[in-house]
Amino acid sequence: MKVAKVIGNIWATRKEEKLAGYKLLIVQPINILDGSKDKTPIVAADIIGAGVGETVLIVGGSSARSAAGDMSVPVDATVVGIVDDQEIDPSVLE
């Protein structure tokens, strides 16, 4: 699992039939320790109703397809949770 910030939506009127009904979000992976950007934004299928500005949990690969409910759905990333809060104990960090 990775943490990301939802930065936008993406629409595709013509797409693979198995993507019908999925909301697609543009998400920016972030560093969980300091909130800085981590890599480039990606497109993720949203199965929980996340919105722009929210911090979310995403899964990739076969976990993304499994979370979408069908291993034949052509997705590489799926939003599986909305982060309410986080707490990191700085005393255990190097």
Side-chain angles (χ1 to χ4, degrees):
M1 262 188 288
K2 295 182 181 181
V3 178
K5 181 75 79 171
V6 179
I7 60 171
N9 295 287
I10 193 163
W11 295 272
T13 54
R14 294 184 59 162
K15 58 188 171 214
E16 160 65 42
E17 289 180 17
K18 291 179 181 173
L19 289 174
Y22 287 98
K23 178 179 167 188
L24 301 175
L25 299 174
I26 303 169
V27 298
Q28 171 66 62
I30 58 175
N31 180 320
I32 195 168
L33 296 177
D34 63 13
S36 64
K37 294 179 182 178
D38 185 28
K39 303 184 182 177
T40 60
I42 60 172
V43 176
D46 177 30
I47 60 170
I48 59 167
V52 173
E54 291 187 296
T55 301
V56 295
L57 299 173
I58 57 172
V59 293
S62 62
S63 295
R65 293 186 295 279
S66 177
D70 182 349
M71 292 302 286
S72 66
V73 174
V75 295
D76 280 335
T78 300
V79 175
V80 296
I82 298 172
V83 176
D84 295 318
D85 199 3
Q86 72 180 38
E87 181 179 337
I88 298 172
D89 183 351
S91 69
V92 296
L93 297 175
E94 295 181 324

